[in-house]
């Protein structure tokens, strides 16, 4: 029975992540204000909140304080729960096969909270596409980010990353092999292509308001902090092999002539 529950819990956590991720794209894209909402009226009913609309814009100080607090909460939850020391302590309470799924679940809940409680800061508008071709560039950057993000997860192990592999192994009563050091394709030219995808999603937009800038800058700053701690864990786990990789391959911006030769 416990095996079935773990598998169902893992699947539920994964489905929740997918829903929140899709909502995040609509949230950042202000889908209610686009032609897509005219073509698909359901968007107005489903996507209640977005980066610039959804609730009355409060005063600047209140909006800034609340939004910075939400970004900090998201960063704190991610950073603490991703550390190896926390995982070792956490698995004394949560079964090992469900540990990753709990992380995915709580991350999705916190991100949903950020979306729900975000205070719009729609003005000033730093840039706005005034032609179809310029708007297409903004949407294309976001779409490229989504592609790179998802591609990056499958290049390593998508189902391990989201806890499904661990739950499936528990269901079949088989051990899960520890993650191996791999550098497939994108990982040979940048160390963190997954984060590259997030950067493009955050910054790719045909309309950049002050609130969107705050969100993109705050989340980007968190990513750089997360990379520092993540790489410390990776060095501890993989040793000299990862140190060599880190010296050869740029963090997030490809550099001609620099790629992994291992």
């Amino acid at each position: 029975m416990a095996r079935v529950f773990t598998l169902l819990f893992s699947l539920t956590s994964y489905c929740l992540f997918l829903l929140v991720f899709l909502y995040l794209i609509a949230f950042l894209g202000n889908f209610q204000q686009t032609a897509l909402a005219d073509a698909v009226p359901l968007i107005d009913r489903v996507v209640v909140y977005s980066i610039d609309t959804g609730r009355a814009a409060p005063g600047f100080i209140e909006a800034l304080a609340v939004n910075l607090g939400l970004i900090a909460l998201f960063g704190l939850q991610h950073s603490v729960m991703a550390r190896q020391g926390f995982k070792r302590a956490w698995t004394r309470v949560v079964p090992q096969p469900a540990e990753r799924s709990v992380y995915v679940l709580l991350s999705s809940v916190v991100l949903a909270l950020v979306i729900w409680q975000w205070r719009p800061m729609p003005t000033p508008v730093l840039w706005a596409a005034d032609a179809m071709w310029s708007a297409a560039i903004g949407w294309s950057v976001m779409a490229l980010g989504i592609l790179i993000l998802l591609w990056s997860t499958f290049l390593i192990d998508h189902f391990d990353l989201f806890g499904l592999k661990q739950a499936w192994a528990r269901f079949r009563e088989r051990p899960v092999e520890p993650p191996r050091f791999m550098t497939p394709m994108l990982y040979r030219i940048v160390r963190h292509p997954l984060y590259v995808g997030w950067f493009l999603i955050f910054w790719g937009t045909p309309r950049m308001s002050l609130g969107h800038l705050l969100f993109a800058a705050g989340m980007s700053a968190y990513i750089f902090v997360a990379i520092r701690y993540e790489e410390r864990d990776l060095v501890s786990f993989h040793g000299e092999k990862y140190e060599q990789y880190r010296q050869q391959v740029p963090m997030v911006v490809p550099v001609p002539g620099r790629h992994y030769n291992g």
Side-chain angles (χ1 to χ4, degrees), residues 1 6 22 35 53 57 60 63 67 76 108 136 179 181 185 191-192 197 199 207 210 234 238 249 253:
M1 190 65 181
T6 300
L22 290 174
T53 62
F60 175 79
N67 293 341
L76 183 64
S108 301
F181 179 71
M185 299 181 72
R191 301 198 302 273
H192 300 281
F199 285 136
R207 183 181 186 277
L210 178 62
L234 289 169
H238 295 292
V249 180
V253 179

Side-chain angles (χ1 to χ4, degrees), residues 71-89:
I71 293 171
L73 175 64
F74 179 84
L76 183 64
Q77 180 266 325
H78 270 64
S79 292
V80 171
M81 291 195 70
R83 302 286 66 80
Q84 294 300 318
F86 181 89
K87 290 180 181 180
R88 286 191 292 269

Side-chain angles (χ1 to χ4, degrees), residues 99-218:
E99 180 271 327
R100 188 67 187 179
S101 293
V102 172
Y103 174 78
V104 171
L105 174 66
L106 293 180
S107 297
S108 301
V109 169
V110 172
L111 183 55
L113 177 65
V114 171
I115 293 171
W116 175 41
Q117 288 299 314
W118 185 263
R119 278 17 180 199
M121 303 173 71
T123 57
V125 177
L126 284 77
W127 75 71
D130 55 3
M132 186 176 296
W133 67 267
S134 54
I137 292 175
W139 293 123
S140 296
V141 171
M142 176 182 280
L144 179 62
I146 296 171
L147 175 63
I148 291 175
L149 172 66
L150 295 178
W151 187 15
S152 299
T153 66
F154 281 101
L155 282 176
I156 42 177
D157 193 330
H158 179 87
F159 299 106
D160 179 86
L161 186 65
F162 289 98
L164 295 170
K165 183 176 181 179
Q166 297 89 321
W168 180 243
R170 174 69 181 91
F171 180 75
R172 300 180 67 191
E173 296 187 322
R174 294 185 178 181
V176 178
E177 295 182 4
R180 297 180 294 111
F181 179 71
M182 300 185 299
T183 58
M185 299 181 72
L186 296 178
Y187 287 86
R188 301 188 76 84
I189 56 176
V190 290
R191 301 198 302 273
H192 300 281
L194 191 149
Y195 291 141
V196 173
W198 280 120
F199 285 136
L200 295 177
I201 291 171
F202 294 150
W203 292 95
T205 176
R207 183 181 186 277
M208 179 63 74
S209 65
L210 178 62
H212 196 144
L213 176 67
L214 177 65
F215 185 96

